[in-house]
C-alpha cells in the first residue's frame, strides 16, 4: 500500500482535500507537466482546447478512457491553476499552486468539496494521479491503482477536517 498523505481543512462552504508533492525541478518545469498536453498524457491524459477558458481532457487511465470538459477558472503561469467541471460532470473544483525554493518545487493540490461524502474514493484517486505525475516525471513505471484503492479508503473515510 502507498502511504496516504491527504488532509481535510474546514472551509466556509465545506472542506478542502489537500495533498502535496515535491520535485527537484524548477517551478516552470513542473508547470509544463501540468499544462502541456504531451506531458499530461503521460500521467493523466491529453487535452485539447475548446475555447479560451475551456479544455477537454481524456482520462486515459480510467475505464473507457472518458473525455471530460474543464473550465479554466484561473491560470497564473507558472504558479496557480484552478479548474472546474460542470455539475453534470460532478461539479468538481480543483486548484494547483506551485512554490519554488532552492531548486525544489512544492505542488499543493486542493479539491474543494461541499462535504466529506465519497472522500474514501476521492482521496485515493488523487493520491494515485499525483504519484502518476511523479513517476512520469522521473521516467519510472507508473503505479497500479490497486495499491491505492481500497487500501487507502479507510484512511480517507476516517479523516476529520481541521
Amino acid at each position: 500500500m502507498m502511504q496516504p498523505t491527504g488532509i481535510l481543512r474546514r472551509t466556509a462552504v465545506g472542506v478542502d482535500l489537500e495533498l502535496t508533492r515535491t520535485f527537484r525541478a524548477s517551478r516552470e518545469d513542473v508547470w509544463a507537466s501540468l499544462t502541456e498536453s504531451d506531458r499530461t498524457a503521460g500521467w493523466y491524459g491529453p487535452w485539447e482546447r475548446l475555447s479560451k477558458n475551456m479544455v477537454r481532457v481524456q482520462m486515459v487511465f480510467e475505464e473507457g478512457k472518458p473525455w471530460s470538459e474543464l473550465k479554466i477558472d484561473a491560470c497564473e503561469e507558472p504558479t496557480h491553476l484552478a479548474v472546474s467541471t460542470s455539475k453534470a460532470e460532478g461539479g468538481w473544483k480543483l486548484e494547483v499552486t506551485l512554490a519554488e525554493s532552492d531548486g525544489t518545487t512544492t505542488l499543493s493540490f486542493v479539491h474543494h468539496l461541499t462535504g466529506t461524502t465519497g472522500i474514501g474514493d476521492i482521496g485515493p484517486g488523487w493520491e494515485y494521479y499525483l504519484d502518476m505525475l511523479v513517476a512520469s516525471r522521473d521516467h519510472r513505471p507508473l503505479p497500479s491503482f490497486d495499491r491505492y484503492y481500497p487500501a487507502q479508503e479507510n484512511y480517507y473515510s476516517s479523516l476529520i477536517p481541521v
Side-chain angles (χ1 to χ4, degrees):
M1 176 178 111
M2 305 305 289
Q3 187 66 31
T5 63
I7 62 168
L8 287 178
R9 293 197 191 279
R10 214 176 293 287
T11 69
V13 295
V15 295
D16 283 351
L17 171 61
E18 296 181 12
L19 298 101
T20 60
R21 296 295 187 271
T22 57
F23 303 90
R24 297 284 304 151
S26 70
R27 182 174 52 199
E28 290 77 12
D29 187 46
V30 177
W31 179 263
S33 294
L34 299 172
T35 61
E36 294 178 7
S37 182
D38 62 325
R39 292 181 72 175
T40 61
W43 66 274
Y44 191 82
W47 61 270
E48 55 190 39
R49 185 170 298 282
L50 299 175
S51 67
K52 182 179 178 182
N53 68 339
M54 292 291 294
V55 296
R56 190 169 84 125
V57 179
Q58 185 178 28
M59 300 171 68
V60 296
F61 299 99
E62 297 291 326
E63 187 174 327
K65 300 181 180 184
W67 287 87
S68 181
E69 289 187 6
L70 297 175
K71 179 181 177 213
I72 301 168
D73 298 313
C75 183
E76 300 155 18
E77 184 178 345
T79 59
H80 181 244
L81 178 65
V83 299
S84 58
T85 64
S86 68
K87 288 195 187 293
E89 293 190 55
W92 287 17
K93 294 181 182 292
L94 312 170
E95 269 187 272
V96 176
T97 304
L98 300 176
E100 183 179 355
S101 178
D102 298 325
T104 298
T105 297
T106 300
L107 178 150
S108 298
F109 173 88
V110 177
H111 184 157
H112 302 288
L113 300 159
T114 56
T116 58
T117 301
I119 197 69
D121 298 326
I122 295 167
W126 289 124
E127 294 277 6
Y128 168 70
Y129 275 109
L130 291 175
D131 285 350
M132 294 269 283
L133 169 61
V134 171
S136 73
R137 287 184 50 79
D138 293 343
H139 306 288
R140 290 182 303 164
L142 300 176
S144 168
F145 185 64
D146 295 341
R147 298 184 72 190
Y148 297 82
Y149 186 86
Q152 295 181 359
E153 182 179 18
N154 286 339
Y155 170 84
Y156 277 98
S157 294
S158 65
L159 281 180
I160 297 172
V162 293

